[in-house]
Amino acid sequence: MNKKKWMIICCLVLFVSFFGVKKLNRYYKEFMLEYRIASAISDRGEDFCKFYVSSDYLSPDAYIAHGGGVGKFTYTNSLEAVLDSLQRGFRFIELDMIETSDGHLLGAHDWKHFKSLAGLNSNYDSLSLSLSLSEVQKLKINDKYTVLTGDSISELMKSNPHFILITDKIRNYKLLLKEIPYPDRMIVEVFSPQDYLKALRSGIKYPAYCVWNKNNLETAIKFKFPIVTMDAKNFFENNENIHLVQKLHDSGVTILLFYTSFSGRDKPEFLKKYLGKTISKVYTDTWSPSVLP
């Protein structure tokens, strides 16, 4: 065998060996991730079932105040929104969280949206740049509502022991627990199995894996995540997908349904058919435990 052929064979052997090792290493990492998540979930036993709803749409625990509140308060993530929600009988209140430039929590969907609500569109060249805690505390939402910080959310939870926070957007789990030290009353949305494990290891007791599409659903089933958030549009517009959701709910998984351009958004007939039967909870912009569909 000449030298050229020998070199080609050696290169092929090295190529196959290298990618074989890479593939094996990937499988090992996936196996260990699945094992660690399964162990953490198993150690908690039935604890993850505490938010499951299987009665019907009349259950007050089936409703989540979206963006802090309903009606005029939806998406404001404001103090007044949360106070109104608590008065309406909500226990579960969703607040978006972002981080200020000096490392504190702010109730807001994102900086562009927050600055728009605070009337800063023409005052800042870059709407996506973060502000400091002292800067945001001087602002008002829609010229009248009070900004929520991590400390003020913590105070609300301290004075309202039935208030359970649902949040997303934030990945700094240690900061979240530092400013809002109520892990027993907090559900935190995550977007990957890696983030799920990171959240658990950081002290988040109830991560909720986001099921946006069928691939995410397969991941949720594979890892046996006990709490998930789910996009209504991708799962409630045909019977086949509804069957998959029903099967997931029947297995004991707590499903928190959110809306993105969904035709049945907050419609009474939709909620009466599925809430507490196919899903556990719904993020609502309209209804409340005191005013049911």
Side-chain angles (χ1 to χ4, degrees):
M1 185 181 296
N2 60 42
K3 186 176 181 180
K4 187 176 180 180
K5 287 184 178 179
W6 177 251
M7 288 181 66
I8 291 172
I9 292 172
C10 288
C11 288
L12 286 171
V13 170
L14 288 171
F15 180 83
V16 171
S17 298
F18 175 73
F19 283 97
V21 169
K22 281 187 69 176
K23 191 173 183 179
L24 185 63
N25 187 50
R26 187 177 74 247
Y27 285 150
Y28 173 75
K29 286 182 177 179
E30 288 176 359
F31 169 79
M32 289 307 298
L33 178 64
E34 189 173 353
Y35 171 76
R36 286 163 182 158
I37 290 174
S39 296
I41 292 173
S42 177
D43 289 344
R44 297 270 297 282
E46 298 296 316
D47 185 39
F48 278 107
C49 300
K50 66 188 291 185
F51 304 120
Y52 187 78
V53 177
S54 59
S55 49
D56 59 26
Y57 75 99
L58 295 175
S59 171
D61 284 348
Y63 297 88
I64 303 166
H66 192 191
V70 298
K72 65 181 180 179
F73 293 114
T74 302
Y75 305 124
T76 62
N77 290 288
S78 65
L79 172 64
E80 289 79 5
V82 174
L83 291 175
D84 181 72
S85 294
L86 291 169
Q87 189 174 12
R88 290 173 183 266
F90 280 104
R91 290 182 63 229
F92 296 85
I93 300 175
E94 186 256 350
L95 292 168
D96 301 303
M97 299 278 187
I98 56 178
E99 197 170 335
T100 65
S101 60
D102 52 347
H104 294 280
L105 294 178
L106 169 67
H109 186 274
D110 57 75
W111 282 108
K112 288 184 179 180
H113 186 249
F114 173 76
K115 289 180 180 181
S116 174
L117 292 178
L120 297 181
N121 301 51
S122 60
N123 298 332
Y124 285 82
D125 293 331
S126 179
L127 294 177
S128 61
L129 287 179
S130 58
L131 303 175
S132 68
L133 180 64
S134 60
E135 286 176 309
V136 301
Q137 287 177 322
K138 296 174 184 176
L139 301 173
K140 288 287 184 180
I141 298 170
N142 293 338
D143 293 324
K144 53 187 173 182
Y145 301 138
T146 309
V147 170
L148 271 179
T149 64
D151 286 343
S152 55
I153 296 168
S154 183
E155 285 300 313
L156 282 168
M157 294 185 73
K158 181 179 180 181
S159 57
N160 296 276
H162 299 298
F163 172 11
I164 296 172
L165 173 67
I166 299 176
T167 190
D168 59 5
K169 309 291 185 296
I170 190 73
R171 294 290 168 273
N172 191 340
Y173 305 122
K174 290 185 178 179
L175 174 63
L176 180 61
L177 290 171
K178 178 183 177 182
E179 295 203 352
I180 309 175
Y182 294 98
D184 289 324
R185 293 159 52 200
M186 187 186 301
I187 299 172
V188 181
E189 187 177 35
V190 300
F191 296 89
S192 71
Q194 291 79 6
D195 258 356
Y196 191 98
L197 185 59
K198 178 185 174 184
L200 285 174
R201 287 178 167 177
S202 298
I204 300 297
K205 292 191 71 174
Y206 304 107
Y209 176 71
C210 181
V211 176
W212 190 267
N213 53 39
K214 279 192 174 182
N215 287 337
N216 298 144
L217 179 60
E218 290 173 2
T219 299
I221 294 169
K222 174 184 177 181
F223 284 90
K224 298 180 180 178
F225 292 130
I227 306 172
V228 302
T229 62
M230 181 175 287
D231 177 31
K233 182 173 178 57
N234 289 326
F235 287 96
F236 280 87
E237 293 193 338
N238 68 69
N239 289 330
E240 180 186 349
N241 287 346
I242 291 171
H243 175 74
L244 294 175
V245 179
Q246 186 68 64
K247 187 176 179 181
L248 189 67
H249 177 76
D250 290 345
S251 71
V253 174
T254 300
I255 302 172
L256 285 55
L257 193 74
F258 62 88
Y259 303 126
T260 53
S261 305
F262 178 58
S263 59
R265 187 185 186 105
D266 262 352
K267 288 186 178 179
E269 56 269 25
F270 176 82
L271 298 180
K272 289 179 180 180
K273 185 174 182 179
Y274 296 113
L275 192 52
K277 299 172 184 176
T278 306
I279 55 175
S280 282
K281 305 182 191 300
V282 66
Y283 296 78
T284 179
D285 305 333
T286 306
W287 311 106
S288 71
S290 60
V291 182
L292 297 170

